Amino acid sequence: MGIRSFFTLKNKRRMPRWLAWMLAGVMKLYAATIRVRITGHREVLEALAEHPVAFLLWHNRVLSAVCLVPRAILSRCTVMISASRDGEYISTIVRSFGLESVRGSSSRKGGQALLGLLHALKEGRNPVLTLDGPRGPRYTVHPGALALGRIGAVPLVPISLNASRCWQLHSWDRMQIPCPFSRVEIVLGAPIQVPPRQKTASPRQEDEAAADEQQASLLREAMLSLTRDPQEKCP
């Protein structure tokens, strides 16, 4: 093994615990510099113990959410993370913030991940999904949230983290990293209940697809109404 390989993760399936601990520590120090304010439907948070919900957010707010959402809330949540190697690294780090995870996405092991979220829901935990992840396009709606809301009969709560100033990466989702000492508003939307399938003798796939498209459009509009992309970038 060469020196270069020793210091890289490209041949490692799992992130070393010491490195995950160190990265989580840096993230927590960074988060301490951010001024956070929670607005919108705060009553949702007050009832989580008795009435679990599924939180929905855009993929480009994932890092902000892990760092800045209060730990008292994260400890009640289970997030879906992709089954890729990068997802394995992320899963290792988020455990340091008290956040449980299930592995899968719309493109890989989606059914397995959905079952994991439904199991977490039965245990009184709150599923967390990225509507447009893991591959986008940005600000679109993938079907996993609708399936979870319908099968689990759980309200879907849109959430957005809006930074006053941030860096934006050159990734497909334009991942946002709030600047140190900036302000971040965590906005909670109104819960959305996905109606069950209509029970008919011979359901038409066209009708079901049209109903899903309508619900996806409603979810997207609700999310976009909370989303405020920053006009000011970090120096």
Side-chain angles (χ1 to χ4, degrees):
M1 177 187 295
I3 295 178
R4 179 182 176 87
S5 298
F6 181 80
F7 286 103
T8 64
L9 295 173
K10 68 178 182 179
N11 296 319
K12 296 182 183 296
R13 180 65 187 174
R14 296 182 180 275
M15 177 180 288
R17 289 187 177 182
W18 65 267
L19 181 56
W21 179 85
M22 184 176 68
L23 290 175
V26 171
M27 292 169 69
K28 290 173 183 177
L29 289 174
Y30 152 79
T33 71
I34 308 292
R35 288 170 287 175
V36 177
R37 183 167 65 110
I38 301 177
T39 64
H41 291 260
R42 295 175 56 96
E43 68 276 5
V44 171
L45 302 179
E46 298 168 0
L48 285 183
E50 298 179 2
H51 304 287
V53 301
F55 291 112
L56 311 178
L57 71 160
W58 297 127
H59 195 270
N60 61 11
R61 264 78 170 174
V62 169
L63 290 179
S64 300
V66 171
C67 291
L68 302 177
V69 172
R71 188 158 183 168
I73 300 173
L74 290 182
S75 64
R76 296 179 177 271
C77 293
T78 298
V79 63
M80 184 169 72
I81 298 175
S82 79
S84 65
R85 181 171 59 181
D86 289 346
E88 180 64 34
Y89 298 161
I90 295 171
S91 179
T92 303
I93 293 173
V94 301
R95 282 196 292 269
S96 301
F97 290 83
L99 184 61
E100 292 186 1
S101 65
V102 297
R103 306 299 306 284
S105 66
S106 58
S107 59
R108 184 181 176 192
K109 297 185 179 180
Q112 176 180 316
L114 178 59
L115 289 175
L117 292 179
L118 290 170
H119 179 72
L121 189 60
K122 289 182 179 180
E123 294 183 338
R125 299 185 62 79
N126 304 279
V128 180
L129 298 91
T130 55
L131 270 183
D132 54 350
R135 298 179 180 176
R138 183 174 67 151
Y139 297 165
T140 59
V141 176
H142 288 188
L146 290 176
L148 178 65
R150 181 178 294 113
I151 299 172
V154 59
L156 307 179
V157 176
I159 179 173
S160 184
L161 290 89
N162 301 325
S164 59
R165 294 178 295 118
C166 76
W167 290 290
Q168 286 189 298
L169 306 185
H170 295 290
S171 54
W172 66 264
D173 62 347
R174 304 290 292 163
M175 178 67 73
Q176 297 183 7
I177 303 176
C179 305
F181 307 103
S182 62
R183 299 183 307 277
V184 171
E185 182 182 17
I186 301 176
V187 190
L188 295 165
I192 299 172
Q193 196 76 49
V194 179
R197 297 281 192 201
Q198 293 184 356
K199 296 181 179 180
T200 59
S202 54
R204 297 175 54 190
Q205 291 186 350
E206 296 85 352
D207 294 340
E208 292 182 350
D212 286 349
E213 185 176 349
Q214 182 181 20
Q215 286 297 315
S217 179
L218 290 174
L219 280 182
R220 185 173 185 274
E221 290 176 6
M223 285 291 296
L224 289 177
S225 70
L226 308 178
T227 303
R228 300 288 183 271
D229 288 328
Q231 302 299 317
E232 188 177 352
K233 298 181 179 180
C234 300

